[in-house]
Amino acid sequence: MVTFTIKQFKSILNVYKYIDSWFWAKYSVNGYNGCQFGCIYCDSRSAKYHLPADFENDIIVKDQPGAMLDQRLAHARTLRPDVVAMSGANDPYQPAEKKFENTLACAKVLAKHRYPVHICTKSPLVLRDVNVYQQIARDTWCAISVTITTQDTDVARFLEPRAPTPQQRLDTIRSIKQQAPEINSGVLLMPIIPELTDAVAQLDQLVAAAKDVGADYVIFSPGLTMRDVQADWFLKHLMRHYPNLMPRFEQLYKFDHRNPAYHGQYNPTGDYLLRISEQMLDICASHKMPYRIKRFLPRDERRLNYQIAEILLNKAYELQIQGKSWQDMHWAGIHLHEMKQSVDTLYAMGELNSLRNVTPIVEKEIVEVLGRIVKKTVIDEYKIR
Ligand code: SF4
């Protein structure tokens, strides 16, 4: 039986040190702790979240999150509107939301203060609030990403025992795009779980289905991450339902399941990650399906930096999944995003390489990107050393 405990919290808005380059979020807001959907792979079971391993039965409902968020944003002198992720260690549209409406309360406040929003969910309940998100999309930017790991209903029931069916989730994207095409909506194909959801035909079918419902993107993440309590929980269920798969997991994650606690790798082996990424890139290309989300671009002096940061971070992602060196490209994008000064000023002064992580290769990339964005006259003045 699920119990709900209403609890007061001291703060409601988390401010990230650096932007999240997958979901483009700078902030996060959660109306709940714990998640009724109870996915057996959920990373929220990891020790760092300090939640009970059976957190699907013990839901903490935050008291008055909308009012708290309103206060916080109304008095925020140093905060500027940027993407707020509504997800984290819970699904913002888990069944509790039907009754408590914490997510809706926060969404209305974010709409009022004109903050862009990214929702990650597995639930059609998000459709209840589509008007609020449509308004946010018109005013700033909004993305609703729906997680679908497989279309196989038996495997989905094993992995995500209390979540809506894969078809309900696909239908949710279709409805969002029909009702509010301004909202970015697509599939989070993550995690891709070895042996259970990683067959090429399965992945291809899922991307085709996403295309069919009008998804704007499919974001994928090869390989399940595994650590401490979460890994123990997942492997306990795997052993019960698919014991034949255990040797393959031991090989991919380098552990011995007979040990009492998990001591294997966080990610599967590199060759596995590369193979799945390569397959996904081919599949997305064959369906002309983007695998990154178009980011929020503010209509103020930050715009150019954000545009260039997006391109650098997308490039870094591609390098990473191809097993190439990506760190400088990534960190240059992150620092450029946070920079107060506009990049074209730095560029005109010939000082791009004073930015952290801007190596000659990254500098060349920035110059090329600027070349596509700013006036040609400025480019001609610039001399690459
Ligand atoms: S829906 Fe998301 S947060 Fe909830 S249990 Fe599943 S993976 Fe975890």
Side-chain angles (χ1 to χ4, degrees):
M1 190 180 137
V2 182
T3 60
F4 300 100
T5 309
I6 297 181
K7 203 169 159 186
Q8 289 190 332
F9 279 76
K10 285 200 181 119
S11 65
I12 184 70
L13 185 74
N14 306 309
V15 182
Y16 300 163
K17 186 171 179 191
Y18 301 117
I19 188 173
D20 176 328
S21 63
W22 283 50
F23 305 109
W24 303 115
K26 179 68 184 166
Y27 310 106
S28 71
V29 164
N30 291 306
Y32 307 93
N33 274 353
C35 183
Q36 289 166 271
F37 288 149
C39 309
I40 63 164
Y41 53 71
C42 183
D43 184 51
S44 307
R45 298 182 201 279
S46 307
K48 75 173 199 162
Y49 293 102
H50 306 291
L51 293 172
D54 67 341
F55 66 75
E56 59 265 43
N57 293 319
D58 183 10
I59 308 299
I60 307 292
V61 181
K62 296 191 179 176
D63 191 27
Q64 306 284 335
M68 281 179 74
L69 186 60
D70 195 24
Q71 278 284 319
R72 176 78 172 96
L73 296 182
H75 298 106
R77 291 205 193 123
T78 54
L79 301 183
R80 302 189 71 182
D82 211 326
V83 178
V84 180
M86 292 227 267
S87 53
N90 67 87
D91 189 309
Y93 284 95
Q94 59 178 295
E97 171 62 15
K98 219 179 206 170
K99 178 174 175 193
F100 297 102
E101 298 191 351
N102 274 1
T103 300
L104 174 59
C106 293
K108 284 180 176 170
V109 171
L110 294 169
K112 174 182 158 188
H113 292 276
R114 295 191 169 231
Y115 272 62
V117 172
H118 192 162
I119 301 283
C120 299
T121 184
K122 290 187 171 98
S123 173
L125 183 56
V126 68
L127 294 170
R128 181 196 66 189
D129 303 338
V130 85
N131 291 347
V132 180
Y133 296 121
Q134 185 175 36
Q135 194 55 51
I136 293 174
R138 284 177 180 163
D139 290 344
T140 59
W141 179 96
C142 180
I144 300 177
S145 297
V146 180
T147 306
I148 308 174
T149 53
T150 177
Q151 287 178 281
D152 182 321
T153 46
D154 291 335
V155 175
R157 204 171 304 117
F158 166 64
L159 294 171
E160 303 151 346
R162 299 186 191 170
T165 64
Q167 190 56 49
Q168 285 176 301
R169 299 182 224 169
L170 282 166
D171 291 343
T172 300
I173 297 173
R174 191 195 297 276
S175 297
I176 292 168
K177 292 308 295 182
Q178 282 172 350
Q179 292 177 45
E182 308 91 328
I183 297 174
N184 298 286
S185 187
V187 171
L188 297 184
L189 206 181
M190 53 174 69
I192 297 174
I193 301 186
E195 303 298 319
L196 285 170
T197 67
D198 67 350
V200 179
Q202 268 181 303
L203 297 171
D204 186 76
Q205 217 176 15
L206 182 42
V207 176
K211 188 84 185 176
D212 184 54
V213 296
D216 295 310
Y217 51 83
V218 172
I219 299 181
F220 64 88
S221 169
L224 170 68
T225 55
M226 296 235 279
R227 58 180 160 195
D228 54 66
V229 188
Q230 170 258 358
D232 292 334
W233 186 269
F234 176 80
L235 293 171
K236 184 175 85 178
H237 287 78
L238 189 76
M239 194 62 193
R240 201 176 294 154
H241 293 269
Y242 296 96
N244 56 317
L245 297 185
M246 192 57 84
R248 177 67 175 142
F249 274 79
E250 287 180 319
Q251 187 188 41
L252 285 173
Y253 289 89
K254 314 261 181 245
F255 67 96
D256 181 340
H257 80 276
R258 290 165 304 186
N259 283 340
Y262 185 71
H263 59 283
Q265 296 180 170
Y266 181 60
N267 278 308
T269 51
D271 57 336
Y272 174 85
L273 293 176
L274 278 180
R275 178 169 64 78
I276 299 294
S277 297
E278 231 168 68
Q279 288 168 349
M280 278 306 300
L281 289 176
D282 287 349
I283 291 169
C284 287
S286 74
H287 292 284
K288 296 191 172 52
M289 176 60 79
Y291 48 86
R292 300 280 287 172
I293 311 179
K294 275 190 175 305
R295 74 167 305 181
F296 157 67
L297 294 174
R299 297 183 192 114
D300 56 36
E301 79 288 350
R302 295 174 291 170
R303 191 176 180 89
L304 182 61
N305 287 12
Y306 275 43
Q307 279 177 299
I308 295 174
E310 175 180 19
I311 292 168
L312 295 186
L313 290 165
N314 285 348
K315 180 109 188 175
Y317 169 78
E318 275 168 18
L319 292 170
Q320 185 179 11
I321 61 173
Q322 289 165 12
K324 297 179 183 162
S325 172
W326 55 276
Q327 286 87 347
D328 282 326
M329 195 70 75
H330 175 85
W331 284 106
I334 295 283
H335 295 311
L336 200 145
H337 172 91
E338 303 294 336
M339 196 171 73
K340 298 270 181 291
Q341 193 177 22
S342 178
V343 66
D344 57 348
T345 310
L346 213 57
Y347 171 70
M349 294 190 304
E351 290 180 7
L352 275 181
N353 58 5
S354 65
L355 255 175
R356 281 171 71 192
N357 295 91
V358 176
T359 60
I361 291 173
V362 177
E363 183 177 23
K364 190 163 174 272
E365 185 71 26
I366 296 174
V367 171
E368 281 174 14
V369 172
L370 272 166
R372 296 200 293 270
I373 299 174
V374 298
K375 289 180 186 165
K376 192 170 180 310
T377 46
V378 182
I379 302 163
D380 291 342
E381 285 166 17
Y382 187 77
K383 305 259 186 290
I384 302 174
R385 285 170 298 283

